[in-house]
Amino acid sequence: MTAPRPPAQSPPSAAVLLVPGCAGVLALGCLASVLASGSVQRPVALAFGSLVVLGELTRRPGAEAREAAPLGAAGALAYALLQDVAGQPAHHGVTQTVTVVLAASLLGSVPYVARGSGPVLDHLARRVLAVGFAAVCFRPLSNQGAFDDWSGPAAALLLVALLALTTLCDAVLAAAPAHARTGWPFGPLLREELRGMVGITSAVCATGAVMALAVSVAGLWALPVFCVPLLLAQLSYRRYAAVRATYRQTIASLARATEIAGYTPAGHARRVASLGVAVGRDLGLSGAELTVLEYAALMHDIGQLSLVDPVPAGATAELPVTEQRRIALLGGAVVRQTGVDAAVAVVVERQADPCREQPVAARIVRVVNAYEEKARDAGPGGALAALEELRLAAAGDYAPEVVEALARVLARSSLSEPAAG
Amino acid sequence: MDAVPARARVYVTAVALAALLCLRPLPSVHAPWWAVLLLAALYAGSELVARSRLVGTCYPVLLAGAFLLPPPAAALVALPGALLSPVPRRPFGLRRVWRAAQLTLAVWAAAWVHGRLDGPDAVGEPAFPYALVPAGAGVLSFCLVLAVLDGGILALADHVPPSRAWRGLLPRSLAPIAVHGLAGLMMAVLWRSPYGPVAALLVLLPMCVAWWAFAQYHRERAAHQATIRALVQAVDIKDGYTRGHSERVGQASMMIARELGMDDERVETLRFAGILHDVGKLGVPTRLLRKDGPLTPEERRVIELHPEYGHEMVRGIRFLGEARAAVLHHHERLDGSGYPYGLAGDRIPESARVVAVADAFDAMTSTRSYSRARPVAAALEELQRCAGGQFDPRMVRALVHALGRHGWRPAVTADGPPGLPAERAPGLAEGARNGVGRGAP
């Protein structure tokens, strides 16, 4: 068995640069082509461009990429999939589509960048590539009149299918750089991207399709009227995201109660949570499972608040098993009363059970907690010693597959030194 | 509507009869019956889903029906969904009839107004922007009918005085239903277009996502509220206070803040400041907090660390804003002899001065292990005596005024103690009606 070594700082791999690189090449090519050959149907381009600008202007810092500017994304997709405007065939090509969307997105991002709210390059690159993909699939065929004979409903379904393809492409574009950057397995990353897209992205795609269809029926007037439901969805989503963020902060504060009370060392809960989430990701957990894992890891020591005397240095992993289990049950009872998801309470409760009977999240919490306690005071080399100790511990205490996942995570990141408090 | 008065039954019956009257011309109406069937099935289905997820009614389908069909046929769309979907409370039959009758009338009115203004032609052509006019008028009449009927039932069944029954009903519903109306118009336009109902169904997707996010928001918010309450109860139990001390300090802080004319957001923040002011006591050994008899200077120093502990805990919770300063400074005194920093006068944050007064007031008026509760008047007298030295006189005056006007009715219920996991583990409050963790900044 070879001990994991922190890897030498690898150069930014090609995959990380692939997405912005491709987007840049595509954008420059389209721009040059439009500058050379001029643009067609300027009012239509202007209307859709304004919609994209508006969508970018309603963007808020901190929002995740996929829900950052849904209106802009919907407008851009609708422009790519536009068949005709109030009966007149639309004949803008791929290059004009990409150029209009790029220019509008850049223009809309100006206030955002001026406020210093954060980088936009990644967002822009994904937007350009997604729109480019949809346009390449649709525009040449549409401009040649390939879809003229299709019946109405079939044309609508065609748009939906194209948008689904575009979404898939977008998910791959998001998951690939993340995979290259962090080394997390690609499958779960892609699955998580796709799962995150069920919500707002499906609304964006539906609105894009509806706008393209509505403009062909009702003309450009359809744009302002038909963006309202999407704005409503965006608003609801933001409130949901805000309350989620607040909730997370409150849970983290609750978790720190044990640290402030002197039961556990400062930062212990937070470190167990971040390392636990990384291990969970490595084992293929995603979405809601990761949230449960994170909350449970944050609150795994909360049962100690019920103890009469603190455990020395909060090191529960050294206690007799019955005592560990008692504390776990106390913690589960506390968590149950806090109104947090009952799944979190189960994980906290079962954290000291034999690993064969535990749910995955509880196994992870147990292993990571033990590792954190063993490694934090051990100094240089302590991390490796702690891992060895976990591997050699009595069979049935620590799940071997979780220990190996932990080893992989430590090898990948430089987390092998516990981060300072 | 637990015991339904006879007049309310008569009212519901009358509305139901009016609804039937609207449906009477059905046999002679020429309508695309497959569209009626499809829309009715869609509405009933979405209603079943929506009710089980605690989100609102699916108005876009109804309004699309009103924009597409002749009035009696449009009214028929609402009927199956309203009659079939589950109702939360007794009397089930009466509630179902009421909802069906009300929606039937409202949809009929919307369709009738829409038809009068040449709406169907505008939708079929489609003639924008004129199509917005009949649609707007239709939505307005829809809201109007709903509001008028709702006010009636409030006055007759829930004994709301007639002067207040209708107040605010229309403005409250207008904005959300207007958005639903736009979605309905969009559905109707696409339905009549060559693309047909398939495209119209796509319109519902963004609405569904909005509803889903809204329901999630409410779920998460409720969980957050419960968590904050648990945090606070943990302190109260550990400290051996009477239950609900923290909640009551929150309420008193809120009254002072409102009396000082602060805006709603700050009032809410100050409520949190009051609720969480002692959260740092979680970090103080229970043995000291509950000690009978005098404390040694060493023990006193440890207890006096609790504002700093509390600040350390809550400083990561961004939405608390200035409440965090209140947690840190609520034991400062105006003359500078308080702790932890010995700030004086205006150097003490305003929020902390409010909470200090509220805290002292509730400590005096509730029973503790070491003292009996004093009457409110005596407590206020004591506060006024200490104003200037310990407390900000402005805050004391505000509390006196607020109590003179509203009285002191702490709204904390203490239903039996929760099953505690150990001798001093956190419990869970049942009090505080709403808003703990209004969260979103």
Side-chain angles (χ1 to χ4, degrees), chain B residues 332-357:
Chain B
E332 304 281 4
R333 295 165 57 114
L334 218 58
D335 57 16
S337 65
Y339 59 92
Y341 295 148
L343 300 183
D346 286 346
R347 302 283 304 277
I348 308 171
E350 198 177 23
S351 54
R353 282 178 272 152
V354 171
V355 172
V357 172

Side-chain angles (χ1 to χ4, degrees), chain A residues 134-188:
Chain A
V136 166
C137 290
F138 185 78
R139 289 250 60 91
L141 289 173
S142 165
N143 288 354
Q144 287 166 15
F147 303 127
D148 288 354
D149 304 333
W150 289 46
S151 74
L157 288 176
L158 171 75
L159 291 198
V160 173
L162 265 180
L163 285 172
L165 263 184
T166 308
T167 306
L168 191 64
C169 156
D170 192 38
V172 171
L173 285 181
H179 171 68
R181 203 166 45 231
T182 59
W184 290 331
F186 185 73

Side-chain angles (χ1 to χ4, degrees), chain A residues 69-121:
Chain A
L71 192 56
L77 290 175
Y79 189 54
L81 301 181
L82 192 62
Q83 230 172 337
D84 42 9
V85 181
Q88 302 292 318
H91 40 258
H92 54 275
V94 175
T95 53
Q96 181 171 336
T97 311
V98 172
T99 308
V100 166
V101 168
L102 177 70
S105 300
L106 279 176
L107 197 63
S109 303
V110 167
Y112 187 82
V113 174
R115 279 199 310 269
S117 304
V120 292
L121 194 64

Side-chain angles (χ1 to χ4, degrees), chain A residues 249-250 254 256 307-308 337, chain B residues 224 231 312 318 419 424 426:
Chain A
Q249 292 167 359
T250 304
L254 188 60
R256 284 167 72 191
L307 295 181
V308 179
Q337 289 185 7
Chain B
H224 184 224
L231 193 65
E312 183 60 24
R318 211 169 327 133
R424 51 181 199 221

Side-chain angles (χ1 to χ4, degrees), chain B residues 170-358:
Chain B
L170 185 61
R172 250 201 320 260
S173 64
L174 203 53
I177 297 189
V179 175
H180 291 194
L182 282 178
L185 177 63
M186 204 157 141
M187 274 187 81
V189 167
L190 286 173
W191 192 291
R192 294 277 291 272
S193 76
Y195 300 109
V198 177
L201 289 186
L202 282 179
V203 175
L204 285 181
L205 204 55
M207 299 302 283
C208 290
V209 169
W211 282 321
W212 176 82
F214 195 66
Q216 291 295 101
Y217 164 74
H218 276 282
R219 236 191 41 179
E220 200 88 343
R221 206 183 78 155
H224 184 224
Q225 290 174 1
T227 306
I228 289 202
R229 243 180 269 145
L231 193 65
V232 167
Q233 281 296 313
V235 182
D236 286 0
I237 288 168
K238 193 173 160 106
D239 210 355
Y241 284 166
T242 46
R243 278 174 73 81
H245 166 69
S246 300
E247 299 270 2
R248 287 195 302 270
V249 174
Q251 200 184 346
S253 305
M254 189 169 74
M255 288 172 85
I256 296 174
R258 206 166 268 155
E259 189 67 29
L260 292 173
M262 296 181 181
D263 60 44
D264 284 352
E265 201 170 324
R266 270 193 92 189
V267 169
E268 190 65 15
T269 304
L270 273 163
R271 197 167 78 87
F272 279 116
I275 288 177
L276 291 172
H277 71 284
D278 267 349
V279 77
K281 285 195 173 161
L282 277 181
V284 179
T286 313
R287 210 167 278 124
L288 292 186
L289 290 177
R290 293 195 179 169
K291 184 176 177 188
D292 286 330
L295 297 166
T296 65
E298 178 59 29
E299 289 169 335
R300 184 170 293 282
R301 254 199 305 284
V302 172
I303 290 188
E304 289 184 354
L305 283 174
H306 82 264
E308 286 168 279
Y309 285 161
H311 184 252
E312 183 60 24
M313 277 179 71
V314 300
R315 81 192 153 94
I317 309 181
R318 211 169 327 133
F319 84 97
L320 286 177
E322 62 174 339
R324 292 175 289 194
V327 171
L328 181 58
H329 293 298
H330 71 275
H331 278 296
E332 304 281 4
R333 295 165 57 114
L334 218 58
D335 57 16
S337 65
Y339 59 92
Y341 295 148
L343 300 183
D346 286 346
R347 302 283 304 277
I348 308 171
E350 198 177 23
S351 54
R353 282 178 272 152
V354 171
V355 172
V357 172

Side-chain angles (χ1 to χ4, degrees), chain A residues 346-399:
Chain A
V346 171
V347 174
V348 172
E349 230 159 55
R350 310 276 300 273
Q351 62 178 310
D353 289 2
C355 71
R356 256 188 304 278
E357 298 163 23
Q358 285 177 312
V360 181
R363 291 181 196 172
I364 296 174
V365 170
R366 180 167 197 184
V367 168
V368 174
N369 177 50
Y371 168 79
E372 225 284 316
E373 281 173 8
K374 288 179 201 298
R376 75 178 158 234
D377 299 322
L384 299 184
L387 262 181
E388 272 318 302
E389 216 175 310
L390 291 183
R391 281 186 175 126
L392 298 175
D397 276 358
Y398 304 112

Side-chain angles (χ1 to χ4, degrees), chain A residues 216-237:
Chain A
S216 77
V217 176
L220 291 174
W221 261 98
L223 290 184
V225 176
F226 292 0
C227 66
V228 174
L230 186 60
L231 281 176
L232 186 73
Q234 180 182 356
L235 194 71
S236 296
Y237 236 83

